[in-house]
């Protein structure tokens, strides 16, 4: 996504089509008619509109003095929308004796102009840039001491408020000795054919087939127009449709996107009028083929759930429309909708299903996503709904029963999805719960454990039976049940330890008669 945001920012300048501000961007210098400046270095973000390589040779009779190429490009500056006319001298033939002193480009009359050069390609930087006052207002780039036959210049750029460009200009390369040659290059023009793509909108999603509308005209002097697409702004481009008939606010073409893969593509409309005048319109679209990402992190397959069931995961698509959560009892024909959302989610909660009122049993949940072109993705999970906590009770000993010695404790622990249970006691001098026994399965009218009470002091005690199942209840904890019973643990010596010294012997008889003689009460 970060990449597409960057592409979007770079291409935003395509759609700034009128009333550009004259003030140059930082790093550029305004070049008025008759003016001369030392051009600065600036590399503004720009979009390529057209590019050509123009070879040239400068002769003296039959002697070759200098040869190379003019890398001639037209760009559109993103921040202002101005046209950028770029001239670069490159690939000169080595070993020749000529030295280039100046390069003159036409014709910038009638337009506000600024200049700079762009780093990153070539090493020879212009020392001066000047603009003539007479017809044409040509811009001259001066190189001192000159450009030798084994050197490339940096791209020299003229920023113009002209609304259009045509391949009717001229560039003249002049040597220090005066010889020169003129080649045909781009130049700004006042009038222009009209090239507009009105639909699809920039960065919108397109389905198959994609209908592209707009305008391709030139007031009666139209020569031809062509609608193309490419995966890269520099091409290569493939023709969608072309014609010699003008179109005004109509269908330019129907694009069959079957041969291309999902992703961003660039649409280019080129309109050419008589005399070589041309106009180019670009837009960027996303060809949608599949639903991008559908991930269900919870509930997990075959999980056990009770109460509210929380869904978590991802429903994401470049052309996202909606996602839906639904359920059905196992074996049923139709799904019941839990919720539908038109907001995408990435690794976050998707929604909550209140399953607390449903019967226990096997269910299927379904998570589906749909994009704007009708492409879908679906995930189905089998889960168990368990809204019933474990059933637990202690059948023996009974409440308030007096017990002593080794006592068998019986009862029940019953649950379809039991995980574990614990039998405990508290009372007497104990400060918490002490485990008597534990287990991980169901117990039906069976022995839960044997409790050794002979070393416990006579007192009232409480037995507790706790049980848990595997259900995830209300998106966090599980089911829990407990059963409590209070009983009396009596004297393990049946009252014969009269003086309570921990043993039965003659001292207990003596203690008994002492109490009796003193008129006391029997314990």
């Amino acid at each position: 996504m970060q990449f597409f945001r960057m592409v979007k920012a770079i291409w935003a300048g395509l759609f700034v089509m009128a009333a550009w501000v004259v003030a140059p961007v930082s790093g550029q210098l305004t070049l008025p008619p008759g003016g001369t400046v030392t051009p600065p270095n600036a590399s503004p973000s720009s979009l390529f509109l057209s590019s050509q390589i123009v070879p040239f040779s400068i002769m003296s009779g039959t002697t070759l003095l200098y040869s190379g190429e003019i890398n001639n490009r037209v760009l559109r500056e993103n921040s202002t929308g101005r046209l950028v006319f770029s001239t670069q001298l490159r690939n000169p033939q080595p070993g020749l004796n000529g030295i280039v002193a100046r390069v003159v480009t036409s014709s910038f009359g009638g337009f506000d102009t600024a200049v700079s050069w762009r780093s990153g390609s070539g090493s020879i930087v212009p020392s001066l840039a000047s603009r003539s006052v007479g017809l044409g207002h040509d811009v001259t780039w001066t190189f001192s001491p000159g450009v030798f036959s084994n050197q490339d210049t940096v791209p020299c750029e003229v920023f113009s408020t002209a609304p259009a460009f045509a391949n009717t200009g001229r560039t003249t390369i002049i040597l220090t000795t005066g010889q020169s040659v003129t080649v045909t290059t781009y130049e700004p023009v006042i009038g222009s054919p009209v090239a507009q793509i009105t639909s699809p909108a920039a960065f919108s999603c397109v389905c198959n087939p994609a209908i592209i509308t707009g305008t391709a005209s030139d007031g009666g002097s139209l020569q031809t127009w062509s609608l193309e697409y490419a995966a890269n702004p520099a091409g290569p481009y493939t023709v969608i449709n072309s014609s010699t008939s003008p179109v005004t606010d109509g269908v330019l073409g129907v694009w069959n996107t079957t041969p291309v893969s999902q992703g961003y593509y660039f649409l280019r409309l080129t309109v050419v009028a008589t005399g070589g005048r041309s106009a180019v319109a670009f837009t960027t679209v996303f060809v949608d083929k599949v639903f991008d990402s559908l991930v269900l992190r919870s509930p997990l397959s075959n999980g056990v759930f009770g109460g509210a069931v929380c869904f978590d995961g991802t429903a994401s698509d470049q052309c996202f429309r909606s996602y839906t959560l639904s359920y059905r009892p196992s074996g049923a024909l139709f799904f019941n909708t839990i919720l539908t959302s038109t907001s995408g989610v990435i690794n976050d909660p998707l929604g909550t299903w209140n399953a607390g009122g449903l019967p226990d049993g096997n269910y299927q949940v379904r998570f589906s996503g749909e994009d704007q072109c009708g492409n879908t993705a679906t995930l189905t999970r089998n889960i168990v709904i368990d809204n019933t906590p474990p059933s637990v009770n202690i059948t023996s000993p009974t409440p308030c029963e007096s017990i002593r010695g080794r006592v068998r404790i019986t009862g029940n622990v019953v649950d379809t999805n039991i995980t574990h249970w614990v039998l405990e006691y508290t009372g007497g001098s104990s400060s918490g719960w002490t485990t008597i026994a534990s287990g991980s399965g169901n117990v039906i009218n069976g022995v839960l454990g044997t409790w050794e009470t002979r070393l416990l002091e006579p007192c009232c005690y409480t037995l507790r039976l706790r049980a848990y199942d595997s259900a995830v209840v209300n998106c966090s904890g599980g089911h829990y049940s407990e059963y409590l019973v209070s009983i009396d643990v009596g004297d393990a010596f049946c009252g014969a330890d009269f003086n309570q010294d921990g043993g039965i012997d003659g001292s207990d008889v003596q203690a008994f008669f002492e109490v009796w003689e003193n008129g006391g009460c029997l314990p």
Side-chain angles (χ1 to χ4, degrees), residues 146-399:
V147 185
F148 294 83
S149 59
N150 61 342
Q151 298 173 320
D152 292 356
T153 70
V154 296
C156 302
E157 297 184 333
V158 180
F159 300 80
S160 175
T161 56
F165 66 93
N167 194 26
T168 55
R170 62 192 184 280
T171 294
T172 301
I173 304 98
I174 305 171
L175 301 182
T176 56
T177 53
Q179 291 91 344
S180 66
V181 67
T182 299
V183 295
T184 301
T185 53
Y186 297 113
E187 69 175 350
V189 294
I190 297 176
S192 170
V194 177
Q196 292 179 338
I197 299 174
T198 56
S199 178
F203 301 100
S204 63
C205 296
V206 297
C207 310
N208 188 41
I211 300 174
I212 302 164
T213 63
T215 296
S217 66
D218 191 38
S221 60
L222 177 69
Q223 182 174 328
T224 185
W225 60 265
S226 178
L227 177 66
E228 305 162 290
Y229 76 89
N232 188 292
Y237 279 85
T238 301
V239 175
I240 299 172
N241 191 24
S242 62
S243 177
T244 57
S245 300
V247 175
T248 301
D249 293 330
V251 176
L252 297 168
V254 178
W255 181 20
N256 177 13
T257 64
T258 301
V260 304
S261 58
Q262 177 169 288
Y264 278 95
Y265 289 84
F266 304 90
L267 298 178
R268 180 175 72 180
L269 174 63
T270 304
V271 180
V272 180
T274 55
R277 294 176 299 120
S278 64
V280 182
F282 285 84
T283 193
T284 309
V285 296
F286 185 85
V287 174
D288 184 27
K289 291 295 189 73
V290 297
F291 192 89
D292 295 337
S293 180
L294 197 73
V295 178
L296 188 58
R297 300 195 300 181
S298 66
L300 298 177
S301 293
N302 302 314
V304 181
F305 303 90
V309 180
C310 291
F311 289 76
D312 185 273
T314 294
S316 175
D317 189 87
Q318 183 69 26
C319 307
F320 183 81
R321 173 175 287 165
S322 66
Y323 71 82
T324 299
L325 302 175
S326 55
Y327 79 94
R328 69 180 178 185
S330 182
L333 293 178
F334 303 106
F335 281 89
N336 304 291
T337 298
I338 299 169
L339 64 86
T340 296
S341 174
T342 56
S343 299
V345 174
I346 298 178
N347 292 333
D348 260 333
L350 298 162
T352 302
W353 171 32
N354 184 8
L358 295 177
D360 292 357
N362 297 323
Y363 288 78
Q364 284 186 326
V365 292
R366 185 174 66 182
F367 177 31
S368 58
E370 182 179 10
D371 64 24
Q372 296 172 20
C373 292
N375 300 306
T376 61
T378 301
L379 294 173
T380 302
R381 296 273 171 85
N382 295 319
I383 66 169
V384 176
I385 293 299
D386 181 1
N387 287 315
T388 305
S391 175
V392 298
N393 70 326
I394 296 173
T395 57
S396 177
T398 59

Side-chain angles (χ1 to χ4, degrees), residues 17-41:
M17 298 300 295
W20 296 307
V21 178
V22 175
V25 173
S26 176
Q28 304 164 12
L29 289 179
T30 300
L31 185 60
T36 298
V37 298
T38 299
N41 171 227

